[in-house]
Amino acid sequence: MNQDLLKIGADALRKAAMNDKAKEYILSDTMLYKTIKKAADRYIGGETLNETILKVKHQNKIGFKCSMEFMGENTLTEKEANEATNEFIRMVQEIKNQALHSTISLDLSHIGLAVSKDLCSQNIRTILEAATNHNIEVIISAEGIERTDDVLETYKNMSKVFENVSITLQAYLHRTKDDFKDLLQEKGRIRIVKGAFETPSHLSIPRGKELDHAYLYYVDQLLSNNHKCSIATHHHEIQKEAVKLVKSYNTKNEIYEFESLYGIQTEQLTALKEQGLPAKLYFVYGKEWYLYLCNRIAEYPMYLFRALNDIVQ
């Protein structure tokens, strides 16, 4: 298929994902919501924590570690940020109570960063305190370039106090080369993703060989420094090269993990697990699935046909 057309389609889906009016319209129309959610169900844990826990238990049973995230970002009121924080606290309790092999992932803008840095710091500290009592890892997600400084600053402040906090870095940002050197001095796990947020062209590396090399450079540096890391990619060739690096450094399993989003090329992650490599499935849940669905299809535009099939079933 014409690559230019695929790129146009992917760009359109990313713009649709950021369209608040479209999201509000879908959420307000019961029939439309139920119809499109059929496509989202392939990629999400469910609308509730309890639904997601059922899937996590199943995946734990067959050998996958998991991560759970309550979907949401850019909460604009203290009330919404505190409600999200309470949900993450409940997640901590359920992971402990049900002995789940799962970490927690979250966006700082979901728990108050878009309101104030003080509110965000207060809420992430509350979550980390609860999680550290039960030896549960909390991974801070990457956000748009306009928030990168605040996200990294918050992480570094928290890592001085808590050993169970980790961070996500985006390989496509030019600035990551400097951020990486700094964060390598922290003890927390570094989760490497390619990066999916739109940026001005001079700030990031486009998808392609250059970005693939940059991604593997960070993986190499992490493994050679014996630094905890998550290799979060669905790119099959990168996964194969990362396996070679793991073996060349004789890296212990507790140092690294291969991570994929639930519903996306899970067969590749299964193959890694069957080789005895630590493998992790990333689950999201909640009603904010519209943005998530658009972004997943944007990454693999041919999945649009799969989504249409899911809808008409």
Side-chain angles (χ1 to χ4, degrees), residues 141-143 145 148 152 167-181 183 190-197 199 201-222 230-235 238:
S141 298
E143 302 198 39
I145 189 69
T148 302
L152 297 184
I167 190 64
T168 304
L169 281 181
Q170 303 178 93
Y172 80 145
L173 294 179
H174 291 305
R175 64 168 290 167
T176 295
K177 198 165 186 178
D178 293 324
D179 293 332
F180 182 80
K181 293 176 185 175
L183 295 174
I190 295 178
R191 175 176 177 262
I192 292 288
V193 299
K194 279 190 175 180
F197 297 96
T199 68
S201 59
H202 67 283
L203 296 179
S204 61
I205 306 169
R207 294 283 171 130
K209 292 294 184 184
E210 183 183 358
L211 178 54
D212 295 347
H213 289 315
Y215 188 98
L216 282 168
Y217 165 79
Y218 294 123
V219 174
D220 191 348
Q221 289 297 301
L222 286 162
S230 287
I231 305 165
T233 180
H234 302 97
H235 195 298
I238 287 180

Side-chain angles (χ1 to χ4, degrees), residues 80-136:
E80 290 174 323
N82 291 340
E83 287 174 349
T85 299
N86 290 336
E87 179 70 6
F88 286 111
I89 297 297
R90 190 165 80 89
M91 193 186 298
V92 168
Q93 293 166 343
E94 291 302 321
I95 290 173
K96 175 62 178 177
N97 293 342
Q98 302 199 41
L100 304 176
H101 192 21
S102 179
T103 59
I104 290 171
S105 296
L106 54 80
D107 286 322
L108 291 181
S109 68
H110 196 185
I111 59 169
L113 187 59
V115 181
S116 76
K117 286 198 283 187
D118 286 343
L119 176 63
C120 175
S121 294
Q122 174 185 314
N123 284 340
I124 187 63
R125 184 179 292 273
T126 300
I127 294 167
L128 287 167
E129 285 173 349
T132 199
N133 289 337
H134 303 304
N135 197 30
I136 296 169

